[in-house]
Amino acid sequence: MQIKKVGVVGCGLMGHGIVQVAAQGGCEVVALESEQAALDKGLGRVDRSLAKLASKNVEKGKMDQAAADAWVAETRGRISGTTERGDLADCDLIVEAIVENLDVKKELFAGLGEIAKAEAIFASNTSSFPIGEMAAASGRPERFVGLHFFNPVQLMKLVEVVRTDETDAEVFEAARAFGAACGKAPVSCKDTPGFVVNRLLVPYMVQAIDMLDRGDASKEDIDTAMQFGCGYPMGPLTLTDYVGLDTTLFILQGWTERYPGEPAFKVPASLERLVAEGKLGRKTGEGYYKWDGDKKA
Ligand code: 3HC
């Protein structure tokens, strides 16, 4: 079972990165968005990221300019965009990277189940929802996996490949091979809340926010402490801005509703307040920090 043509639903923060790494891995990719403006924005991000990676490769002497230009053109040439769901009908794999809302995802997969070819594999990039529920809604639970990439997808080397009790062994192996083709280290995980990374990472972010809310230390000191004390590339509050406060809140709200007895899952006060104020992190220019593009203001 070889994955040659990939559909990616959603071309936002995660989706555009998945589109890009799948194309870098040699797949033909169709990016689906509901509106042309969102599609243009996502593909514009892909263009900027490819240009950045190419110029880095030239700087580091890994490629000359002509090879870098050819690499960008070839990779970009494998990507097309559409606003028509039907254009995904002949994809071997369809990866969903839309809003973190279980009902919306289930509805999407039910629709895709009707149009995609019978052998197509479905995958969700959800951070926190049960893969099994989406698998059931799709009508093809044995051909369904989780493929959880990390932000920024182009740079982060991990993909979690999640199987349910019903996932076919061959489908699971094909999904792992796809992750490897995208240049990622695939790790296997069962369908448990947050899989491996978020089960550990999100409660850590919650603890950091609670610490800030209690006034135990400043945001800068919390971040510096974890960056230099533990050797992490960025501190937990910067990371929350990076991931998106809305995404972090959606994850926690879902978990607290679904697993009320788990003390590690709670919604910190400032997270709820900042999201209500529209301060969603780096993408809106303000979260725990103020941002000027990619850099802290
Ligand atoms: N495409 C191409 N290039 C990119 C890029 C992209 N998408 N994003 C950044 N770059 C470039 C930058 O422009 C920069 O170029 P420059 O050196 O010319 O300025 C270069 O890559 C390196 O970026 P940084 O200067 O920011 O350098 P870092 O060494 O800090 O590396 C990082 C960036 C890899 C993002 C690093 O900071 C890191 O590992 N951060 C932690 C990220 C993390 O933990 N992500 C997981 C979040 S959890 C998640 O996603 C799961 C979800 O479900 C919640």
Side-chain angles (χ1 to χ4, degrees):
M1 195 183 299
Q2 217 199 339
I3 293 167
K4 290 189 181 146
K5 185 167 181 182
V6 179
V8 178
V9 187
C11 204
L13 190 64
M14 298 302 287
H16 89 277
I18 299 170
V19 165
Q20 184 178 329
V21 295
Q24 287 174 208
C27 295
E28 191 188 334
V29 188
V30 187
L32 171 69
E33 260 293 354
S34 46
E35 311 255 326
Q36 189 63 42
L39 184 61
D40 292 343
K41 191 174 169 199
L43 295 180
R45 275 169 141 170
V46 171
D47 289 334
R48 285 193 296 281
S49 175
L50 283 174
K52 181 91 205 174
L53 295 175
S55 73
K56 284 260 170 197
N57 280 332
V58 173
E59 242 173 65
K60 288 182 187 159
K62 288 187 183 167
M63 284 179 185
D64 63 20
Q65 191 60 51
D69 291 347
W71 176 78
V72 170
E74 266 170 38
T75 308
R76 188 62 178 82
R78 289 188 203 106
I79 300 171
S80 59
T82 183
T83 54
E84 299 294 328
R85 195 181 278 183
D87 290 339
L88 303 189
D90 63 344
C91 288
D92 304 312
L93 167 70
I94 301 179
V95 185
E96 166 274 315
I98 62 168
V99 63
E100 199 65 354
N101 177 312
L102 186 56
D103 289 336
V104 178
K105 286 179 194 281
K106 280 171 78 172
E107 203 182 307
L108 170 75
F109 279 117
L112 289 173
E114 282 169 21
I115 60 120
K117 64 183 181 184
E119 38 320 353
I121 297 173
F122 287 174
S124 172
N125 179 59
T126 183
S127 318
S128 60
F129 289 129
I131 300 297
E133 283 198 31
M134 289 175 273
S138 76
R140 54 179 84 186
E142 69 294 341
R143 305 196 71 74
F144 204 108
V145 291
L147 272 175
H148 184 218
F149 290 86
F150 294 82
N151 177 31
V153 178
Q154 294 90 340
L155 304 187
M156 300 302 287
K157 293 195 170 68
L158 182 70
V159 62
E160 292 175 320
V161 189
V162 182
R163 61 172 179 265
T164 72
D165 291 342
E166 292 183 78
T167 307
D168 185 283
E170 243 189 284
V171 166
F172 189 67
E173 277 320 309
R176 278 185 60 96
F178 168 73
C182 292
K184 308 300 170 195
V187 295
S188 305
C189 184
K190 288 189 183 167
D191 189 15
T192 57
F195 318 127
V196 176
V197 171
N198 280 342
R199 182 66 186 259
L200 297 172
L201 182 70
V202 176
Y204 154 72
M205 286 151 74
V206 167
Q207 287 297 313
I209 297 168
D210 275 350
M211 195 176 260
L212 176 72
D213 289 354
R214 284 194 305 268
D216 296 346
S218 68
K219 59 186 180 226
E220 292 83 2
D221 283 349
I222 295 168
D223 277 351
T224 302
M226 293 312 290
Q227 199 177 353
F228 296 141
C230 292
Y232 292 172
M234 53 176 70
L237 297 160
T238 304
L239 183 59
T240 308
D241 275 4
Y242 223 85
V243 167
L245 275 60
D246 51 342
T247 303
T248 310
L249 182 64
F250 286 148
I251 293 174
L252 286 164
Q253 283 173 334
W255 282 353
T256 49
E257 262 169 44
R258 211 174 269 272
Y259 314 102
E262 170 55 72
F265 301 161
K266 58 171 293 218
V267 177
S270 64
L271 184 67
E272 215 161 19
R273 177 175 46 77
L274 288 167
V275 172
E277 290 168 6
K279 295 173 183 163
L280 308 183
R282 200 172 62 130
K283 62 187 167 187
T284 57
E286 188 170 355
Y288 284 97
Y289 292 90
K290 289 203 165 111
W291 293 84
D292 182 9
D294 279 355
K295 307 274 175 222
K296 280 182 192 157

